[in-house]
Amino acid sequence: MPRLFCVAVALLCLGATARAQDAAVAGRCAAPDSIIFRGSTRTSDATLRSETGLVPGAMNYRVIDRAIKALYALGQFEDVQAACELEPGGARADLVFTLRERMLLRNVDVTGTDRLSRNDVRDRVDLLVGRAVDPAQVAHAVQRIDSLYQAAGYYLARVRPETTVVNGQVDLLFRVDEGRRLAVSGVAIEGNRGVSDRSVVAAMSTKPEGFLWLRKGELDADKYAADVSEKIPALYAQKGYIDAQVLKDTLKVDRARGKALVDITVKEGPRYKIGTFEVTGSRHFSNEDIARYYPFGERPTTITGAMKGLLRTGRKNDDALYFDQARWDEATRSVGEAYANEGYIYANVRPVVQRTVGPDGAPTVNLRWEVDERQPAIVNRVEVLGNDITSESCIRNQIFVVPGDVFRREALIRSYQSIGNLGFFETPLLPPDTKTANDNGDVDVIFRVKEKRTGNVNFGASVGQGNGVGGFIGFDQPNLFGLCKRGALNWQFGQYVNDFSLSYTDPFIRESQISGTVTAYHSQTRYYVSNVGRQTRVGGQLQVGFPVLGSRFSRLFLSYGAERVNYGGGANSLTSTINCRIVTCSRSTLGANFDHDTRVGLPFPTDGGNQTLSAQVNGFFGGAQYTRYTGEMKHYATLAQFGGGALGSEPITLALALKSRAGAVFGNVGGFYVSQKFSLGGVQYGEPLRGYDEFSITPAGYVGGTSQNATENSFGSAFFTNSVELGLRFNQQFYVGTFYDAGNIWARPQDFNPTRLFRGAGVGAAVVTPLGPLGLDWGYGFDRVENGVKKPAWQLHFKLGQLF
């Protein structure tokens, strides 16, 4: 419109001039003698003439209109006027373009960005500093910023450009009012018959706002897109509707109220039952072996499977008749992993779902796994990189992937876990690299590690009443000389104290699989728990370990030790009642210990197990004569992972732990009953049972009272405990869980009765600190008694030291 107006004015001027003068002069404006541009300081006259394409001579309004458009298209002018100027007498006519230039952009900025990155918003502004300010480009930048906020769910955001003139140039500021995210007021599902609205909405991340602040219902565009394209179809496929589609999704926005209504239309299609199943192409595994991975039909239920079933959402009984795409995909991956564990890493397992009609006329799918096994891969080379301190041989003892052997993914994962369990490297470790080594498909395996600080040294001096002047020296290094050898030295000395212990462990004597530990000690221990008292132990032990049947997870340890103990403490302490001139306070011990350890994820295991059996025969070479047996079984299973399960990641893991422990002592332990017999309750001394005080459970039953001191009658010659724990492992430093404990002790092994156990349950947390693992448990003792009346109560437990 402005351009047409200018043309009209120009023509009127031409007409007015013609009427004012004689006929010879009137025709001069229709064919101007020259073209003049006024008001342009940044664009040359030659450029203007070239862009307009005008030359003196005859022209009409269409030519002038095109010239005006061309001048505006340069983006340098905010106003263009065209007029005809006649010299006196009408001898000469000039076509004059009067131009008003746009101001240059001096600076551009963004303010008001809190929920989104300022840089991300600034990148949406594509205006160049030093160029003329174009209102159309400014409007385009506003639109781009607005679309960025809408993509993040902030449909209520407002963007307002503000200009400030400084020295003839413009500072442009985009002021953003982000508002809040659009709240979903409701989700409407249309076209569904077999799956309820509630089930569809439960599977979505986008949910309507709830009561008060408990569920804000904020709309996230990315999550909403995933709901429509992935989660809703996956829900239907899980229930047998494998042809289901989302036909339409509409977002009805009420900007005034800040609300949105989500309207989704689905087409369910038929629900497919399960038909026949077959396997083709398998040679390494028999069809029966592969059929074990088939996810449908009757199958035995494991303990882990039962727990997973309890944690799943409700599943109707008739659902077992229908196809579940998620279970089928998971089973297909399991078959592929089974081949990978046997070296067939290039094997291809193709799942085939054939739609048909069953004998009863119902839609049915016949299932088939088509296997292309190809050739197994052989390990060509195994490398370890990044071990600047730890010797390579030490690390290779934890690696189960051997050059020349068939590549097995299970062995690769186990090697990765075992290296991490050493505790010498930063975790999580980088995932191992597997690279094709040659044209035969053989692979090179590369483990990468990063050393971390291990061990500690501490020393100092002390002055105390009753102890005089003293000092202490401490050294503990689990990776001595970088050879996986462990050395520990602790010495506390002074005028009245002399506490010394020294131990050395070599897990691979002279590069063999035989391990050895030598320990010598003169140790004083003061137990303030239940006023146990002080004991001073002097002795030593030699232990040798051997692999059992070549297994890397099972070892047999044989040991011999000798010890003498003296007791002291306050007049009312337990140990002050032990008279070593009357009872035997020395012993010599022959011991055998079997240990099978496959735990993963220490110090908070999430898989595997640990089984130990221990036997001690005392008195062969003098001292107290008795035998002591203990056994323990621990099993761990991962129920769910959150945040990814790839090697090198550290997902949050929900794990189930089952633990049982038992022991018995036969014979007279003499003065060693404080350490060699069993006590029950608490977590700081003896066998743990959460929900009860230390020494509160005795062979005679429960003894209540928070001030209860330990007595000789607090100890028994047999015990049994078991525990079930459901825990959430966030990483290697933090763990929370719920537990159920049960246990009891008996005066004699023949009194053992596992039907009478004291029970406790509660919650707990554990964290790894520089001082060691720290645990806090809050247990509820179900079988606590007060004045002969059952009175359950809570008990808080604190523990510093080994937790698992």
Side-chain angles (χ1 to χ4, degrees):
M1 291 297 295
R3 289 191 294 271
L4 294 176
F5 177 76
C6 293
V7 173
V9 171
L11 294 176
L12 289 174
C13 292
L14 292 173
T17 305
R19 288 192 298 270
Q21 305 191 24
D22 57 314
V25 176
R28 300 300 298 138
C29 285
D33 297 292
S34 64
I35 301 171
I36 300 173
F37 298 94
R38 295 174 181 166
S40 175
T41 61
R42 298 192 298 267
T43 307
S44 67
D45 194 72
T47 302
L48 297 175
R49 294 180 186 279
S50 174
E51 292 295 329
T52 57
L54 295 177
V55 295
M59 60 183 68
N60 54 36
Y61 77 93
R62 291 188 180 88
V63 174
I64 297 175
D65 181 56
R66 285 197 298 269
I68 293 174
K69 291 180 179 179
L71 292 173
Y72 272 116
L74 290 174
Q76 298 293 326
F77 310 106
E78 63 180 20
D79 187 47
V80 177
Q81 299 287 339
C84 178
E85 295 183 359
L86 294 174
E87 292 184 0
R92 182 179 180 83
D94 298 326
L95 178 59
V96 179
F97 288 91
T98 303
L99 310 174
R100 186 165 75 246
E101 291 182 319
R102 290 172 174 163
M103 288 185 286
L104 298 179
L105 181 63
R106 189 180 79 113
N107 185 39
V108 62
D109 202 358
V110 174
T111 186
T113 56
D114 294 325
R115 295 178 175 89
L116 297 186
S117 167
R118 179 179 176 277
N119 290 334
D120 291 343
V121 177
R122 177 64 179 81
D123 290 342
R124 292 286 174 149
V125 181
D126 53 358
L127 300 174
L128 299 178
V129 174
R131 298 284 183 90
V133 180
D134 188 342
Q137 292 182 350
V138 174
H140 181 63
V142 170
Q143 184 180 12
R144 283 168 56 86
I145 296 174
D146 189 62
S147 65
L148 176 65
Y149 273 93
Q150 287 192 19
Y154 295 96
Y155 287 81
L156 306 180
R158 295 290 183 270
V159 183
R160 186 175 72 255
E162 298 178 356
T163 58
T164 304
V165 178
V166 180
N167 297 328
Q169 294 184 330
V170 174
D171 288 345
L172 182 59
L173 176 67
F174 291 89
R175 190 175 298 278
V176 181
D177 179 10
E178 294 180 323
R180 62 179 179 84
R181 275 188 174 177
L182 201 64
V184 178
S185 60
V187 179
I189 311 296
E190 300 179 4
N192 57 316
R193 298 181 306 277
V195 181
S196 66
D197 292 6
R198 182 185 297 272
S199 297
V200 175
V201 175
M204 299 172 59
S205 298
T206 304
K207 302 184 189 301
E209 58 186 346
F211 179 69
L212 297 178
W213 66 89
L214 297 180
R215 191 170 67 201
K216 296 181 180 179
E218 292 183 335
L219 179 67
D220 188 306
D222 293 336
K223 291 181 179 179
Y224 176 63
D227 289 336
V228 173
S229 61
E230 300 174 10
K231 292 192 174 183
I232 294 178
L235 169 68
Y236 272 99
Q238 185 179 355
K239 295 182 176 296
Y241 297 92
I242 55 178
D243 296 332
Q245 301 177 12
V246 176
L247 297 181
K248 183 178 66 174
D249 67 281
T250 305
L251 191 66
K252 301 176 182 178
V253 178
D254 185 351
R255 291 181 178 270
R257 297 175 57 241
K259 306 289 186 180
L261 176 64
V262 177
D263 191 353
I264 297 175
T265 302
V266 299
K267 180 182 179 182
E268 291 184 335
R271 190 181 190 189
Y272 289 91
K273 289 185 176 181
I274 300 170
T276 62
F277 168 70
E278 64 175 331
V279 180
T280 62
S282 60
R283 297 184 304 275
H284 181 77
F285 291 114
S286 68
N287 289 352
E288 291 75 15
D289 291 335
I290 296 182
R292 293 193 182 100
Y293 295 95
Y294 182 62
F296 307 111
E298 295 295 330
R299 303 180 64 83
T301 303
T302 62
I303 295 178
T304 304
M307 287 297 300
K308 289 182 178 180
L310 291 175
L311 295 174
R312 287 184 184 141
T313 55
R315 190 181 183 86
K316 297 180 180 179
N317 293 332
D318 61 347
D319 283 358
L321 301 175
Y322 295 95
F323 178 66
D324 185 335
Q325 184 70 54
R327 294 176 65 192
W328 175 245
D329 293 341
E330 183 180 354
T332 302
R333 286 191 294 269
S334 297
V335 175
E337 290 175 359
Y339 270 102
N341 288 336
E342 294 295 322
Y344 292 85
I345 60 175
Y346 305 112
N348 180 29
V349 180
R350 189 168 73 92
V352 178
V353 179
Q354 183 179 3
R355 295 164 174 81
T356 185
V357 177
D360 57 354
T364 305
V365 289
N366 294 330
L367 305 175
R368 183 170 68 253
W369 277 325
E370 295 179 351
V371 181
D372 181 13
E373 292 184 344
R374 304 179 184 177
Q375 293 296 320
I378 305 298
V379 179
N380 180 64
R381 188 173 72 251
V382 178
E383 294 185 29
V384 180
L385 303 178
N387 53 315
D388 302 324
I389 299 174
T390 307
S391 69
E392 187 164 322
S393 62
C394 175
I395 301 174
R396 287 187 178 273
N397 282 319
Q398 308 299 322
I399 296 177
F400 301 86
V401 182
V402 182
D405 197 3
V406 173
F407 176 81
R408 295 178 293 115
R409 177 172 173 79
E410 187 178 39
L412 178 70
I413 295 174
R414 186 64 203 184
S415 302
Y416 173 85
Q417 294 168 340
S418 295
I419 295 174
N421 281 347
L422 285 173
F424 304 154
F425 311 107
E426 293 185 3
T427 55
L429 302 175
L430 292 174
D433 291 337
T434 54
K435 299 180 180 179
T436 303
N438 49 47
D439 295 337
N440 296 327
D442 300 337
V443 296
D444 292 337
V445 180
I446 303 174
F447 294 94
R448 288 183 168 84
V449 298
K450 185 176 181 180
E451 301 274 5
K452 73 175 184 181
R453 180 182 176 274
T454 60
N456 59 78
V457 178
N458 54 76
F459 55 89
S462 64
V463 178
Q465 184 176 4
N467 291 330
V469 178
F472 61 91
I473 297 174
F475 170 79
D476 186 13
Q477 176 55 265
N479 189 18
L480 200 60
F481 313 123
L483 300 174
C484 291
K485 306 178 191 300
R486 186 182 191 96
L489 168 67
N490 288 283
W491 184 21
Q492 185 177 357
F493 53 88
Q495 183 177 0
Y496 302 107
V497 62
N498 188 2
D499 187 355
F500 175 84
S501 65
L502 175 67
S503 68
Y504 173 78
T505 299
D506 188 342
F508 308 105
I509 298 176
R510 303 189 68 175
E511 302 298 327
S512 70
Q513 293 298 311
I514 300 175
S515 63
T517 300
V518 178
T519 304
Y521 54 87
H522 179 286
S523 177
Q524 292 180 344
T525 306
R526 177 71 167 91
Y527 291 102
Y528 293 93
V529 178
S530 299
N531 199 22
V532 174
R534 187 185 72 242
Q535 56 178 315
T536 303
R537 300 162 54 237
V538 180
Q541 184 186 58
L542 173 64
Q543 178 178 271
V544 182
F546 308 89
V548 176
L549 300 177
S551 172
R552 293 195 179 187
F553 304 111
S554 302
R555 296 188 72 81
L556 176 65
F557 297 93
L558 301 177
S559 63
Y560 173 76
E563 180 182 78
R564 179 170 180 81
V565 61
N566 292 316
Y567 297 105
N572 296 321
S573 66
L574 173 63
T575 55
S576 66
T577 64
I578 303 176
N579 190 343
C580 290
R581 289 176 293 182
I582 299 176
V583 298
T584 303
C585 292
S586 62
R587 64 186 179 118
S588 58
T589 304
L590 286 174
N593 182 54
F594 171 78
D595 183 86
H596 179 73
D597 193 351
T598 58
R599 290 175 295 175
V600 173
L602 296 175
F604 307 118
T606 57
D607 211 344
N610 181 212
Q611 300 82 40
T612 61
L613 294 173
S614 178
Q616 292 181 4
V617 181
N618 295 266
F620 266 115
F621 302 100
Q625 296 183 356
Y626 65 94
T627 56
R628 188 176 192 266
Y629 305 95
T630 58
E632 184 174 24
M633 292 188 298
K634 301 178 182 178
H635 292 278
Y636 305 88
T638 296
L639 302 181
Q641 288 186 339
F642 310 95
L647 289 180
S649 64
E650 194 167 22
I652 298 175
T653 305
L654 179 67
L656 175 69
L658 304 176
K659 307 173 188 178
S660 293
R661 180 172 167 82
V665 174
F666 298 89
N668 184 7
V669 298
F672 290 95
Y673 72 85
V674 174
S675 61
Q676 295 299 292
K677 282 192 173 185
F678 309 107
S679 65
L680 187 63
V683 298
Q684 299 184 56
Y685 192 96
E687 304 300 330
L689 186 65
R690 292 166 287 190
Y692 299 86
D693 291 313
E694 270 76 16
F695 299 101
S696 63
I697 299 174
T698 72
Y702 175 77
V703 179
T706 56
S707 60
Q708 174 67 34
N709 289 335
T711 67
E712 186 173 356
N713 294 327
S714 301
F715 296 84
S717 295
F719 84 96
F720 173 75
T721 61
N722 58 29
S723 177
V724 179
E725 189 159 339
L726 184 65
L728 202 60
R729 178 188 188 272
F730 289 88
N731 48 47
Q732 282 194 322
Q733 282 74 43
F734 186 59
Y735 170 92
V736 296
T738 62
F739 61 84
Y740 174 82
D741 293 347
N744 202 353
I745 61 173
W746 296 272
R748 302 177 305 169
Q750 51 267 41
D751 296 334
F752 177 78
N753 180 11
T755 64
R756 179 64 181 97
L757 302 177
F758 291 87
R759 302 160 301 156
V763 297
V767 61
V768 177
T769 70
L771 298 177
L774 185 151
L776 193 65
D777 294 304
W778 195 30
Y780 185 77
F782 293 100
D783 301 306
R784 295 168 69 122
V785 179
E786 185 174 330
N787 298 324
V789 179
K790 180 176 275 191
K791 191 174 182 179
W794 289 95
Q795 179 74 32
L796 187 64
H797 304 283
F798 174 82
K799 183 176 182 180
L800 180 63
Q802 185 65 37
L803 298 173
F804 287 88

